[in-house]
Amino acid sequence: MNIKPLADRVLIEPTAAEETTLGGIIIPDSAKEKPLKGTVLAVGNGTKDDPMVLKEGDKVLYGKYAGTEIEYEGTKYLMMRQSDVLAIIG
C-alpha cells in the first residue's frame, strides 16, 4: 500500500455491506446500508497533543458520516481522523 496518512488520520477498508437479511432476502445495491465497521490499513504518526492509539489491523467502528471516501487502484477506502473512530472491536 502506497498511502501513508498524515498526523492523526487513519486509512480504513470498510467491511463489505450485507448481501442478504437474516431471513434470506437479497438486498439490492440501492438499499444496502453503508457499513459502519472496517479494518485499519495504515495510520499516521499522531500529533503532539493526540498520540496515535490505533494500529494497523485493528477492527473498528465509526460513525455513519465519518471520513472521506477515496478510491485508489479501483478499491474504495475511508480516510478519517482518529477521533472519528468510535471503538476498537474484538
Side-chain angles (χ1 to χ4, degrees):
M1 169 90 29
N2 294 329
I3 300 174
K4 175 66 175 161
L6 300 176
D8 64 340
R9 290 180 177 82
V10 295
L11 182 70
I12 296 178
E13 181 176 30
T15 303
E18 295 294 326
E19 299 288 329
T20 59
T21 64
L22 293 176
I25 298 172
I26 297 173
I27 303 171
D29 286 340
S30 61
K32 289 181 184 171
E33 287 286 325
K34 182 178 173 183
L36 301 176
K37 60 184 174 180
T39 304
V40 176
L41 297 180
V43 298
N45 294 326
T47 63
K48 65 178 183 172
D49 298 327
D50 191 17
M52 188 55 67
V53 175
L54 297 172
K55 60 186 180 306
E56 292 179 18
D58 282 346
K59 305 278 189 222
V60 295
L61 295 176
Y62 49 86
K64 189 170 191 169
Y65 301 106
T68 301
E69 191 173 282
I70 59 172
E71 188 169 336
Y72 181 73
E73 294 182 349
T75 305
K76 292 185 179 181
Y77 302 101
L78 282 173
M79 181 75 73
M80 66 182 69
R81 292 192 178 276
Q82 175 176 251
S83 60
D84 291 336
V85 174
L86 304 174
I88 299 173
I89 55 176

